[in-house]
Amino acid sequence: MPTNFTVVPVDDGRKSSQEDSDDNNVLKEEDEETVGDGNPRESRPFINNTDDDKGTLYDGKNMALFEEEMDSNPMVSSLLSKLANYTNLMQGVREHEEADEDEGAKKQTVKSPQMGTFIGVYLPCLQNILGVILFLRMTWIVGTAGILESFIIVSMCCSCTMLTAISMSAIATNGVVPAGGSYYMISRSLGPEFGGAVGLCFYLGTTFAGAMYILGTIEILLTYMVPSAAIFKAEEKAQEADALLNNMRVYGTCCLTLMSLVVFVGVKYVNKLALVFLACVVLSILAIYAGVIKTIFEPPVFPVCLLGNRTLQNHGFDKCMKTEIIDNVTVTTKLWSLFCKGPELNASCNEYFSLNNVTEIQGIPGLTSGVISENMWGSYGPAGMLVEKAVPSVPASDASQDKHLPYVLNDITAFFTLLVGIYFPSVTGIMAGSNRSGDLRDAQRSIPIGTILAIATTTIIYLSCVVLFGACIEGVLLRDKFGDSVKGNLVIGTLSWPSPWVIVIGSFFSCCGAGLQSLTGAPRLLQAIARDGIVPFLEVFGHGKANGEPTWALLLTAVICESGILIASLDAVAPILSMFFLMCYLFVNLACALQTLLRTPNWRPRFKYYHWALSFLGMSLCLALMFISSWYYALVAMLIAGCIYKYIEYRGAEKEWGDGIRGLSLNAARYALIRLEEAPPHTKNWRPQLLVLLNLDSELSVKHPRLLSFTTQLKAGKGLTIVGSVLEGTFLSRDADAKRAEQSIKSAMAAEKTKGFCHVVVSSNLRDGFSHLIQSAGLGGMKHNSVLMAWPANWRQSNDPQSWRNFIETVQETTAAHQALLVAKNVDSFPHQERLGEGTIDVWWIVHDGGLLMLLPFLLQQHKVWRKCKMRIFTVAQLDDNSIQMKKDLQMFLYHLRLNAEVEVVEMHDSDISAFTYEKTLVMEQRSQMLKQMQLSRTEREREIQSITDESRSSIRRKNQSGAHGSAVNNQNARLDDDKQDEAQLIYDRNTASHAALNDKTDATPERVHMTWTKDKFCTERNRNREPSANMAVRDLFSMKPEWESLNQSNVRCMHTAIKLNEVVVNKSQGAHLVLLNMPGPPKNRGGDENYMEFLEVLMEGLNRVLLVRGGGREVITIYS
């Protein structure tokens, strides 16, 4: 190892009394210059050979480096004999939350049309709510579920939306709501992760809602308006369903293209068309109520033909009878030919047709007919079940051909929960206004009023329709989904006045308008998410036209909507929408409840009619409806939201919006910290809670970023990690630098994937700053128990002795604080993210200080970088130890610890101290003596200069000859400075030559040193190399070097331990990926600091990656469960 050093005299302007308060630097490495640092401490036992040292010599030479700690940290050999009494002290671990960074760039605002409450909120909500389900499925739901259960379904769904609207109103009036509406409210209340996840789910729901409305439009067009326009036509009854689906796919795609072009023209024109569409909807609703009133006096004539108790499709016949008499001749009707093999009276007919008569009933008996009692209860059934009336009939023995006959059948299996899922989209238009909040003149006023009024209006309509439909329409006609029993008329249209076409046309335009509203709101929602930048791959959809219209978002919406149209079944799409909307409403209620309960100062809604209990009830109702509708759809929707949440959390831009989740985390953290005791946690829960001490360069960049990589590999994101650094100066002058340094460290932590907290301290010197971090980092029970730092590699070359003094005092302070210490040598060569191949992690277990040496390799192996590495444990056996028994005991100990490792016991018998050891110790003490002598001589010269200056001043006062005396003083000072520099340079040159020659000798093997380098030869060589022209002061200085007999024996034994251990470790572990060593403690009486550094250098010489480990004095691993 190199032994050259540089001595640079530095003027010391401080008094020795300031020494203790000035040595407060930690880990100062590289070539940094500082102003005077105080005189070195004297009376170091590692330098001076005292009687006390001789009287307390350790018996064995091999472990002398650890002898001061043998009382508290016993040898492994003595520990292994007491495995049964392995204690588990109370210790533990605490988790922490990931810190969030500042918010990024703000969104760019754009100009959009300004609208009021009626046009901007009430009409879009009313139009979306009174959409496709009311006209196409409401009568079927009432007939299938019955009036009571339908009333329950409508009440639950409308209550859910009303409670959600109340919560939404409170959030919307708690600040400005820009474009994005529901997404903005959720994200700013629950955070970017929840906001992005629920926002994207709501976007998908809104997009599929557009598909549902388009499918409803095409169903009305092809089923009730222009059936002849169908492209695909079924030749048999079994093919009718497939033909209808294919027709809806073709026409739906064309309709989507047309609607997208209308939306592309501009939202202003969409709203103008919405007024026209809504007028049709209002007229349709009025026509329904007018038709109900008319049924009291004159019910409309829509006969329904029954065969026995079975409902017949009234498409292929015009008279509901088997035979008729024409000119006194009995002839068969068209109905006969549908069930018989010919028109003849003696033709073979269907058995059920032959056994039962044909009857005709009125499909709309009227409000006063009493049919309400028959429709009070539900009539569920599987797919293919016949729609039957509760009248007597004669059953047939063979029912296999029924599905091919013109009966009205259930097209899907009907049950209560399915009906909830199909109906719920009819109340999901409540966000139509808030989605377009960017177009509103006053969103805080318009959204609550318009939304609540729209929900109240539609709730009254829905509940009244349930009762009126059940009271006016025959049950079999209610359960006839497509109106096949009334010649293909829309069932709800048969009730209207003056004509069924009013409802058909009104529902057609209603679906068109609702589809346009969805295609308008969904792209704006996606644009708001994209402009927030929380989902990186969506940022392209934040761009649009000059007026802010989301062109690219509209294109993506059309593509997703097309996938919904390809499903082609309104009943299949509706439950999917229910999940997405219910999830959105759930989190709106959660956001309001959280903000209300947390009582955050910024929670001041203008809308006062809210309460946390209402929000909690709405949230519970949403969750219940999700699982009532479809538990597997609910799980899938939650899984999608969870995936988006995790993606935004790990890959998206980090935002801080003052949301409720952050407030909840703050309250939970405060509550936990108050409850958390500061007592040591249990051994089973102990894990390293790290304080990482970093150094920054002049540019405030992290010097050793691999230290953060190693932290990540050791922690794997678990437990507490505090990354600290210190800037010299005052906080008032360097507050900006402190912020820049903190950002630099956070950037390095993000690059190295280190999760934890960052703390930068400004202090008058580095040592005080790091000392403050060690003492005060953390809060309450959330404090660190381990310190990780880098080895000061250039401490020998540094002109400032503080570089190694700071390190030693850090070791002493962590020991005093009972904290573990990890020191990484050559940390820049540690692996980054690349996975290591097969290799070993070698643990050299010399003394037992809590078991941290065992735990660290296990924790490292949990990370992918070190996963392929195997653990090897080496321990040292002395002369009187049974190495075979030690190996067995250690293997049993590891078995109880559940650790997989190879065990090897290395025997280190007492041996004579070699000449190489004496020479190492001699060179070390020479260096210490020279540094001491240089500082002493510097003090004497300063005194001489001061005396000359005082004499000159007195002479000036006496003779008033300032010029001559001033010149003499300057010349004298210059000569003294030159002498000082010459002497220092001479000492440097002499020792450089001597140590260079010495290094040539020490490169040989230890055996060669024993044979060739003796005490006499060393003395002869030293005298021969001396320059005769050396200065007398230098000769006197070298004459002070202690000879071998006068060397400090404690230093000799410690050096012997370091050399012997290093030889063994290098021999066994030079090729290991990582070597863990027990770190000897610093001298207890604060002496011999530079010698301690030399011992550690010798101990680690020849090893690449080394981790010195010093336990905190507590047990950290246990054999007990």
Side-chain angles (χ1 to χ4, degrees), residues 102-171:
D102 294 337
E103 183 179 358
K106 297 181 180 179
K107 296 186 298 182
Q108 181 183 3
T109 58
V110 293
K111 295 182 179 179
S112 296
Q114 300 295 306
M115 291 171 289
T117 302
F118 187 73
I119 292 180
V121 180
Y122 182 78
L123 295 185
C125 289
L126 202 66
Q127 191 170 3
N128 274 21
I129 294 173
L130 297 176
V132 60
I133 301 297
L134 171 63
F135 300 111
L136 297 184
R137 295 292 182 267
M138 192 65 171
T139 54
W140 174 72
I141 291 175
V142 173
T144 305
I147 295 175
L148 289 180
E149 293 185 23
S150 298
F151 202 88
I152 293 173
I153 292 174
V154 174
S155 299
M156 283 195 306
C157 295
C158 291
S159 299
C160 176
T161 55
M162 180 60 77
L163 293 172
T164 303
I166 293 173
S167 300
M168 184 183 67
S169 300
I171 298 173

Side-chain angles (χ1 to χ4, degrees), residues 322-471:
K322 295 182 180 180
T323 62
E324 61 179 341
I325 300 175
I326 300 177
D327 297 332
N328 294 324
V329 177
T330 301
V331 296
T332 60
T333 62
K334 292 183 180 180
L335 180 60
W336 180 281
S337 61
L338 295 176
F339 288 89
C340 300
K341 295 183 179 180
E344 298 82 9
L345 290 174
N346 58 354
S348 176
C349 297
N350 178 266
E351 181 184 1
Y352 188 84
F353 182 79
S354 302
L355 295 176
N356 293 274
N357 295 324
V358 176
T359 58
E360 189 175 67
I361 61 174
Q362 284 299 319
I364 312 293
L367 190 62
T368 59
S369 63
V371 73
I372 187 172
S373 60
E374 298 178 9
N375 295 330
M376 194 65 66
W377 308 105
S379 178
Y380 301 103
M385 187 187 80
L386 299 173
V387 176
E388 299 175 338
K389 184 175 174 61
V391 294
S393 65
V394 180
S397 59
D398 183 14
S400 61
Q401 297 299 318
D402 289 347
K403 62 181 180 179
H404 300 291
L405 297 174
Y407 294 124
V408 178
L409 307 175
N410 285 349
D411 62 333
I412 60 174
T413 301
F415 44 90
F416 178 80
T417 57
L418 175 69
L419 298 183
V420 174
I422 291 177
Y423 172 75
F424 189 82
S426 67
V427 298
T428 56
I430 65 171
M431 293 290 189
S434 62
N435 283 344
R436 298 159 62 251
S437 55
D439 301 320
L440 299 175
R441 186 182 304 113
D442 185 0
Q444 293 193 31
R445 179 179 179 272
S446 298
I447 291 176
I449 296 175
T451 304
I452 292 177
L453 283 180
I455 294 174
T457 302
T458 54
T459 300
I460 294 173
I461 292 174
Y462 280 136
L463 291 176
S464 62
C465 284
V466 168
V467 177
L468 294 177
F469 290 167

Side-chain angles (χ1 to χ4, degrees), residues 437-585:
S437 55
D439 301 320
L440 299 175
R441 186 182 304 113
D442 185 0
Q444 293 193 31
R445 179 179 179 272
S446 298
I447 291 176
I449 296 175
T451 304
I452 292 177
L453 283 180
I455 294 174
T457 302
T458 54
T459 300
I460 294 173
I461 292 174
Y462 280 136
L463 291 176
S464 62
C465 284
V466 168
V467 177
L468 294 177
F469 290 167
C472 297
I473 304 176
E474 180 63 46
V476 292
L477 180 57
L478 286 174
R479 297 196 297 275
D480 184 3
K481 183 184 293 186
F482 300 106
D484 291 324
S485 61
V486 286
K487 297 186 180 297
N489 279 297
L490 182 62
V491 175
I492 197 173
T494 60
L495 181 63
S496 65
W497 179 87
S499 169
W501 282 100
V502 177
I503 297 293
V504 171
I505 295 174
S507 61
F508 176 79
F509 284 112
S510 171
C511 293
C512 288
L516 285 173
Q517 295 293 342
S518 296
L519 291 178
T520 301
R524 291 171 174 271
L525 179 59
L526 180 62
Q527 185 184 46
I529 298 173
R531 284 182 174 177
D532 266 339
I534 60 174
V535 184
F537 67 85
L538 291 180
E539 291 181 0
V540 65
F541 299 106
H543 306 292
K545 295 192 295 186
N547 64 347
E549 293 296 327
T551 307
W552 291 105
L554 176 61
L555 180 62
L556 179 64
T557 301
V559 172
I560 298 176
C561 191
E562 174 64 20
S563 66
I565 290 175
L566 294 178
I567 296 175
S569 174
L570 189 148
D571 297 322
V573 174
I576 300 176
L577 308 185
S578 300
M579 295 304 109
F580 290 131
F581 283 120
L582 281 167
M583 184 173 294
C584 177
Y585 298 163

Side-chain angles (χ1 to χ4, degrees), residues 732-894:
L732 294 179
S733 62
R734 303 205 65 183
D735 59 332
D737 289 341
K739 292 180 180 178
R740 285 200 302 121
E742 188 168 342
Q743 289 300 321
S744 175
I745 294 177
K746 286 183 177 179
S747 299
M749 292 173 66
E752 304 296 336
K753 298 182 179 180
T754 302
K755 297 180 181 179
F757 304 101
C758 174
H759 194 188
V760 176
V761 173
V762 181
S763 180
S764 58
N765 56 68
L766 294 178
R767 198 203 72 173
D768 282 347
F770 281 112
S771 178
H772 294 158
L773 282 175
I774 292 174
Q775 296 177 56
S776 60
L779 180 64
M782 286 286 291
K783 297 183 71 67
H784 62 279
N785 55 29
S786 306
V787 177
L788 175 62
M789 57 196 295
W791 170 256
N794 298 324
W795 68 274
R796 286 173 171 166
Q797 288 75 27
S798 176
N799 297 330
D800 186 6
Q802 286 299 99
S803 62
W804 47 266
R805 286 179 181 169
N806 293 339
F807 173 80
I808 294 176
E809 293 191 3
T810 302
V811 178
Q812 294 170 337
E813 287 175 356
T814 54
T815 303
H818 301 289
Q819 296 174 4
L821 178 64
L822 312 177
V823 180
K825 178 191 175 185
N826 295 334
V827 68
D828 292 330
S829 68
F830 276 50
H832 181 223
Q833 299 295 337
E834 63 277 5
R835 301 190 182 189
L836 295 175
E838 294 185 357
T840 60
I841 300 176
D842 287 359
V843 177
W844 284 85
W845 196 20
I846 310 302
V847 296
H848 177 72
D849 54 359
L852 185 58
L853 273 173
M854 303 292 175
L855 189 61
L856 292 178
F858 171 76
L859 295 177
L860 285 175
Q861 286 177 323
Q862 308 308 306
H863 196 271
K864 62 181 181 180
V865 172
W866 302 88
R867 191 161 294 155
K868 293 183 179 180
C869 297
K870 297 181 179 179
M871 181 166 53
R872 295 193 302 177
I873 296 182
F874 298 88
T875 189
V876 176
Q878 297 295 307
L879 180 61
D880 53 350
D881 292 329
N882 186 340
S883 59
I884 298 177
Q885 186 61 38
M886 279 182 63
K887 184 173 183 178
K888 292 181 180 179
D889 293 341
L890 184 55
Q891 288 174 337
M892 182 59 65
F893 182 41
L894 293 177

Side-chain angles (χ1 to χ4, degrees), residues 956-968:
I956 291 172
R957 287 195 299 269
R958 289 196 309 269
K959 300 181 180 181
N960 198 19
Q961 297 177 356
S962 59
H965 287 283
S967 176

Side-chain angles (χ1 to χ4, degrees), residues 207-226:
T207 304
F208 277 101
M212 183 187 70
Y213 293 128
I214 293 174
L215 290 174
T217 302
I218 304 305
E219 182 177 317
I220 295 171
L221 179 68
L222 296 181
T223 306
Y224 307 112
M225 295 180 68
V226 193

